[in-house]
Amino acid sequence: MKVVDFSKSKSIINKYVGELRDVELQKDRMRFRQNIVRIGYCMAYEISKSLEYRTETVKTPLDVAAVDIPSENIVLATVFRAGLPLHQGFLEIFDEAENAFVSAYRYYEDRDATKIGIKIEYIASPELTGKTLIIADPMLATGGSMELAYKALLTKGTPKRLIMASVIASREGVEYLEKAFPDNDISLYCCCIDPLLNEHKYIVPGLGDAGDLMYGDKL
């Protein structure tokens, strides 16, 4: 699996990630969501450089011009609920893409809340066979939800190409996906890779619970 870590280079993405982490700025939910959307714009632009293109001709008021446009059939997928703003950012760039949604949640299997499970409840997806599937989920902790989302989506067909995108990933989660997806034609794009997961499987330093910061606490 090819891993791209945007924090290794200087770009405006680093500013947006810094604001997401800031405990004072996190009090502004609208700003938090908008920064996730803006990161989606940036990540989609970078991913667009890896796509296949075809040349078409368009007519201008004075002549004709050759334009290179993506030739891959893209399906944008995300995991409810935290993935929605990142998905929206991608959709603003890949505005003709089809869309897929997976409802998944984590739960703790033990009283100490140290062992987690992940349950898939709902899938809405077009046919995926032969298409380029981009799964966007802002937080990649253990890697389990990304893997399960992909396996769930395989019930809708086998994509030609798989691209995964996360804002913040843990080193453990990246290593897990590298083992789960060893093929060289699969890519994982991250804005940064943090070193640790704590005992409750939250990324450290991370930013906390992205879904709660976007939409409010849940029971």
Side-chain angles (χ1 to χ4, degrees):
M1 183 178 74
K2 176 185 176 184
V3 178
V4 178
D5 180 359
F6 292 128
S7 70
K8 300 297 184 182
S9 60
K10 293 180 173 62
S11 77
I12 195 63
I13 291 176
N14 297 327
K15 175 181 182 293
Y16 300 150
V17 172
E19 292 188 359
L20 292 177
R21 294 188 192 268
D22 189 307
V23 293
E24 291 301 319
L25 296 181
Q26 286 180 352
K27 297 173 184 178
D28 185 343
R29 289 180 192 160
M30 184 173 68
R31 183 170 181 172
F32 189 93
R33 291 193 302 270
Q34 186 57 35
N35 275 332
I36 294 283
V37 172
R38 292 194 289 185
I39 286 172
Y41 299 158
C42 296
M43 296 187 80
Y45 168 73
E46 293 295 335
I47 289 171
S48 75
K49 297 177 183 179
S50 71
L51 301 178
E52 296 177 358
Y53 284 76
R54 69 175 183 271
T55 302
E56 293 191 353
T57 300
V58 298
K59 182 175 176 55
T60 79
L62 301 178
D63 203 342
V64 295
V67 180
D68 291 331
I69 64 171
S71 59
E72 299 181 42
N73 294 320
I74 297 172
V75 178
L76 299 176
T78 197
V79 180
F80 289 145
R81 63 179 168 152
L84 292 174
L86 186 61
H87 180 91
Q88 183 60 39
F90 272 80
L91 188 57
E92 291 290 338
I93 303 303
F94 299 122
D95 55 359
E96 296 183 349
E98 296 179 280
N99 295 267
F101 301 93
V102 177
S103 173
Y105 65 89
R106 63 155 60 184
Y107 61 92
Y108 292 108
E109 298 179 339
D110 61 325
R111 184 169 296 179
D112 295 328
T114 59
K115 184 178 180 182
I116 66 169
I118 300 167
K119 182 175 178 61
I120 302 290
E121 286 193 317
Y122 169 84
I123 307 168
S125 173
E127 168 65 47
L128 297 176
T129 301
K131 299 175 182 178
T132 295
L133 176 63
I134 301 176
I135 305 178
D137 193 9
M139 305 299 288
L140 175 63
T142 65
S145 60
M146 185 73 80
E147 180 188 26
L148 285 180
Y150 177 65
K151 288 181 177 179
L153 288 166
L154 285 178
T155 62
K156 308 301 181 181
T158 303
K160 176 182 177 181
R161 183 180 179 194
L162 172 62
I163 299 171
M164 296 172 283
S166 289
V167 177
I168 297 179
S170 74
R171 172 55 57 189
E172 181 178 323
V174 171
E175 291 174 353
Y176 178 88
L177 291 183
E178 286 178 322
K179 293 177 182 177
F181 299 98
D183 295 344
N184 291 330
D185 59 348
I186 294 175
S187 301
L188 171 64
Y189 289 80
C190 307
C191 295
C192 56
I193 301 175
D194 284 356
L196 301 173
L197 288 177
N198 67 15
E199 65 273 19
H200 302 300
K201 304 302 181 184
Y202 278 93
I203 302 170
V204 179
L207 52 74
D209 188 303
D212 288 355
L213 290 166
M214 293 172 190
Y215 301 114
D217 294 343
K218 57 186 178 294
L219 294 178

